[in-house]
Amino acid sequence: MPHGVQVHVQLKGAQSEILTPPALVFLTALHRTFNSTRLSLLDARDTAQQRLDSGEQLNFPTETAHIRADPSWVCAHPAPGLEDRRVEITGPTDRKMVINALNSGAKTFMADFEDSNSPTFQNMINGQVNLRDAIRRQIDFEQGGKAYKLSESPATLIVRPRGWHLDEPRLTIDHQPMSGSLFDFGLYFFHNAAELLKRGSGPYFYLPKMEHYLEARLWNDVFNFAQTYLHIPIGTIRATVLIETLPAAFQMEEILFELRYHSSGLNCGRWDYIFSFIKKRRFDKTAVLPDRKDVTMESGFMDAYVRLLIQTCHRRRVAAMGGMSAQIPIKGDDKANEVAMAKVRADKLREVTAGHDGTWIAHPLINKIAMDVFNEHMLGANQYHVRREDVVVTAANLLNSKVAGKITADGVKGNASAALAYCAAWISGNGCIPLNFLMEDAATAEIARVQLWQWVYHRARLDTGHPITAAYVENVLKEAAKDVKSLVTGVKEAEIEVAVDYMISQVKADRPSDFLTSDLMPYLERLDGGKWIKSSL
C-alpha cells in the first residue's frame, strides 16, 4: 500500500485484482497531481453560481472568441470502433447488463459508473471487474439456469466515470477522499488500455457534468499524464463530452478545442440539461417551467441547444450524438406498447433529420427501432457533412424559457413519486429503475427535485389556481411515499423514510442542493461498512 493511502472497505474475491498495489500507486499519482486543480474548479463553479444568483446572464465567453472564430482547427479522426455510432446503448456495469448491452446489436455500449449507477463500493469495484472480463472475453456466466455469453461481434465499449463534483470516500489519499472521476477513469485505464489496443480498439470515455472549458482542459491533462505514465501513445484516448449543463452550452467550441486531440464529439445529455437549466437559474422567476412532460425537445431552449451542438460538432469534424429514449417495452399491452414505440421512432427521426450522427437507447429491444430509422436516413457512417450553416443561435435562444404547458396537480404528484422512488432505490444500491415504462436514472429525479423546489420558491400556482406551497408539496410527498414499494422492488421502509425526509427538506430550503447524489452519499456507508468523508460541495 502506498504511503498515505487508505482503503476503508474490505475487498472480496476478484476485487483485490482491481485495487492492486500498482493500481493504487497510479491512482495516488493522479490524485496528487490533479486533485487540487479539481477542487479549485469546483470552487469556481460556486463563484459562477453566485454571479448568476445576483442577476448576471450567461453568455459566450469573450476571452475565447478567437477560438470560436478560427475555422482552421478540427478534432481527432474517429478512433477504431467509433467511426459509426448510429445507436448507442447505455446502462450500469453489472455483469448481466454488460453482456446484454454488448450483445444488443447497438454500435457502442456506454458502461455507466455515473447516473444509472448507485456508487456503493461493491458496484464500483465489481463494475471494474466486469469490464475487465468483458474486454478479455472472460465474462460468460450462468444464472437461474440461463447462460450469458458474449457474442462474436460485441459493441464497442465506452465508459462514463463519475463527474468532477463527486468524491470516492472509500479511498483516501493524504487524508482526502479521491475524486470519483479519477478513481473510475484511473482503474479502467490502468487495467485495460493496453489490452484494448492489442484487440484493435482503445480506451474510450464519456465525460459528464462539465460546466467550463477549464474542466475539459483538466481532463485533457489527465489523459496526457495517464498515457505517458503507462507508455500509451498520446492521442490514443477518445472522449465524448455530455453537454448537460447550461454553462457548457455556451462553451461547446472551447470544450472541443481543449480536448481536440482526444475528442470524439459531444452528446445532448438532455434530461440533465433541463435539470441544469432550472438549477442555474434558480432565482430567476422568468425561468419557471411547466410540468416535466411539457418540457420537450421542441421547447425553445432545448431546440436551440441541439441545433448549436450539431453545427459545432460538424464544423470541428466530430460526432454530434443525440439523446436518450428511455422507453422500455410494455409487455401484455400491445396498444400501449405501440404508442410507446411510436414515440421512440418519432424521437429518432427528429434526431437523424436534424443531423445527429447517432442516438441513445436504454433497452436492447429498442435497438432495432432506432437502428432502422438511422439506417433509412443516414446512409453513411455519420453526417459530418451536414454542416448546418443555416443555424444561428444566440444567448437569448439558449435562455429562452417560454415553454407551452401548465403546472398541474398530476405534474406535482409525478415529480414527487419519481423523486421518492429513485432516491429510495439509490440508497438501497440501485441506480437505474423502470418507472412507468421508462428506464429512469438520476437525471429524472433531479428534474423532479428542482422543479418542486422552483414551484414552491417562486410561489407558482397550479392550473386550477391553487398555490404550490411547501406544506402542499409535503403532503403530496407523504401520500406518494405510500406507493413507492409498489413502484420499486426491494426498497425498505427505512429507505423510503430517508427519501421523504430528504425531499421535504429540499422543497423547504432557500436554495436547492447541487446534486442529490452528493447529498445521499453518506447513506451508502452502511452498505459498504466504510467511513464517509466529504471534501467538497
Side-chain angles (χ1 to χ4, degrees):
M1 185 78 69
H3 179 71
V5 176
Q6 287 184 290
V7 179
H8 299 278
V9 177
Q10 188 69 39
L11 300 178
K12 303 173 184 176
Q15 295 174 354
S16 60
E17 300 168 9
I18 298 298
L19 277 180
T20 59
L24 285 169
V25 170
F26 179 56
L27 293 183
T28 301
L30 288 174
H31 175 87
R32 289 175 177 163
T33 305
F34 297 109
N35 196 54
S36 61
T37 303
R38 175 183 79 102
L39 295 178
S40 69
L41 289 171
L42 293 178
D43 288 341
R45 287 187 185 183
D46 292 339
T47 301
Q49 184 63 57
Q50 291 168 15
R51 292 198 299 269
L52 295 178
D53 289 347
S54 67
E56 183 177 307
Q57 292 290 319
L58 283 165
N59 209 332
F60 300 97
T62 56
E63 75 273 15
T64 53
H66 64 287
I67 292 173
R68 297 192 298 275
D70 182 356
S72 66
W73 65 269
V74 293
C75 295
H77 290 295
L82 297 180
E83 301 90 348
D84 186 336
R85 301 169 62 182
R86 64 189 63 217
V87 179
E88 299 188 330
I89 189 168
T90 77
T93 56
D94 64 272
R95 208 164 182 87
K96 179 179 172 182
M97 175 69 202
V98 169
I99 293 175
N100 286 342
L102 289 171
N103 289 350
S104 66
K107 293 292 186 179
T108 78
F109 165 45
M110 188 202 76
D112 192 16
F113 286 109
E114 201 225 8
D115 269 6
S116 65
N117 177 63
S118 172
T120 68
F121 206 61
Q122 300 303 310
N123 285 348
M124 305 314 290
I125 299 299
N126 289 342
Q128 294 281 354
V129 171
N130 295 336
L131 297 184
R132 178 203 64 179
D133 291 350
I135 289 164
R136 292 160 177 79
R137 302 190 64 86
Q138 298 170 353
I139 194 172
D140 301 356
F141 75 107
E142 289 190 10
Q143 185 180 70
K146 183 177 179 181
Y148 294 89
K149 185 176 182 180
L150 206 59
S151 70
E152 288 303 313
S153 301
T156 297
L157 183 59
I158 309 176
V159 170
R160 178 164 69 173
R162 283 168 284 182
W164 283 130
H165 61 287
L166 289 171
D167 293 334
E168 177 40 73
R170 283 74 51 114
L171 176 65
T172 56
I173 302 172
D174 304 329
H175 307 291
Q176 284 185 317
M178 189 174 185
S179 156
S181 303
L182 295 178
F183 180 87
D184 301 339
F185 162 80
L187 286 177
Y188 179 76
F189 187 80
F190 181 85
H191 288 291
N192 301 303
E195 185 69 25
L196 284 161
L197 287 174
K198 191 193 319 182
R199 293 173 179 269
S201 185
Y204 307 146
F205 298 92
Y206 257 108
L207 305 179
K209 303 289 190 295
M210 281 196 274
E211 298 189 13
H212 198 279
Y213 65 84
L214 291 179
E215 297 178 20
R217 182 179 297 175
L218 176 57
W219 268 120
N220 197 68
D221 290 343
V222 169
F223 293 164
N224 285 332
F225 178 94
Q227 289 167 132
T228 301
Y229 186 101
L230 292 180
H231 308 291
I232 302 293
I234 297 292
T236 296
I237 291 173
R238 288 292 185 274
T240 306
V241 173
L242 288 133
I243 301 299
E244 54 186 354
T245 69
L246 185 58
F250 290 85
Q251 301 184 29
M252 292 191 225
E253 294 257 23
E254 292 86 343
I255 288 169
L256 285 179
F257 182 80
E258 294 294 345
L259 285 160
R260 61 194 181 279
Y261 302 118
H262 295 111
S263 179
S264 51
L266 304 176
N267 175 287
C268 289
R270 55 201 194 189
W271 309 130
D272 270 303
Y273 190 74
I274 297 169
F275 160 50
S276 179
F277 187 89
I278 299 168
K279 182 176 68 171
K280 291 298 172 184
R281 304 178 69 186
R282 58 194 183 187
F283 295 145
D284 184 351
K285 195 167 186 175
T286 68
V288 175
L289 299 179
D291 283 358
R292 177 162 46 97
K293 67 175 177 58
D294 293 327
V295 186
T296 67
M297 299 308 296
E298 285 74 34
S299 302
F301 73 96
M302 296 296 285
D303 177 64
Y305 128 88
V306 166
R307 289 185 291 117
L308 182 59
L309 184 144
I310 295 168
Q311 181 192 58
T312 300
C313 287
H314 290 176
R315 187 181 186 211
R316 305 306 180 182
R317 307 297 292 167
V318 285
M321 300 302 297
M324 170 65 75
S325 283
Q327 285 82 2
I328 56 179
I330 302 173
K331 296 178 180 178
D333 190 335
D334 292 344
K335 185 176 181 181
N337 186 65
E338 182 47 44
V339 170
M341 297 307 104
K343 290 180 180 178
V344 175
R345 290 187 194 94
D347 183 51
K348 301 318 173 191
L349 181 61
R350 177 191 55 78
E351 288 184 324
V352 71
T353 54
H356 278 296
D357 303 294
T359 190
W360 273 16
I361 60 171
H363 194 285
L365 293 180
I366 307 298
N367 177 66
K368 186 178 186 306
I369 295 173
M371 193 69 76
D372 285 349
V373 173
F374 269 79
N375 286 347
E376 181 179 353
H377 296 278
M378 189 173 86
L379 302 183
N382 54 58
Q383 300 195 86
Y384 295 0
H385 59 281
V386 179
R387 297 300 180 90
R388 294 304 305 266
E389 291 173 349
D390 59 307
V391 169
V392 177
V393 172
T394 65
N397 297 143
L398 292 172
L399 297 173
N400 177 11
S401 55
K402 294 179 181 178
V403 178
K406 302 174 181 178
I407 305 173
T408 67
D410 284 344
V412 174
K413 291 175 184 175
N415 278 347
S417 178
L420 291 178
Y422 187 80
C423 288
W426 194 89
I427 60 177
S428 76
N430 182 6
C432 187
I433 61 171
L435 200 62
N436 300 319
F437 302 108
L438 298 172
M439 192 61 74
E440 304 288 25
D441 67 6
T444 301
E446 291 287 37
I447 299 171
R449 174 177 69 91
V450 295
Q451 270 206 311
L452 292 175
W453 176 88
Q454 184 188 56
W455 294 339
V456 170
Y457 182 85
H458 290 290
R459 301 178 182 178
R461 291 178 177 269
L462 298 178
D463 58 339
T464 61
H466 191 284
I468 305 175
T469 63
Y472 169 72
V473 175
E474 180 175 350
N475 287 333
V476 173
L477 285 164
K478 288 178 177 177
E479 282 298 309
K482 298 174 183 177
D483 297 324
V484 169
K485 280 190 174 180
S486 66
L487 295 173
V488 185
T489 58
V491 295
K492 299 180 176 65
E493 198 63 43
E495 292 156 349
I496 298 172
E497 290 175 7
V498 168
V500 172
D501 290 344
Y502 172 68
M503 284 302 302
I504 290 173
S505 73
Q506 284 291 292
V507 298
K508 291 182 176 180
D510 60 353
R511 63 195 64 201
S513 295
D514 277 329
F515 296 98
L516 67 84
T517 47
S518 297
D519 293 339
L520 296 176
M521 189 70 189
Y523 292 100
L524 298 184
E525 177 183 345
R526 60 187 170 76
L527 294 179
D528 293 318
K531 181 175 176 58
W532 185 79
I533 302 170
K534 190 176 185 182
S535 73
S536 59
L537 296 176

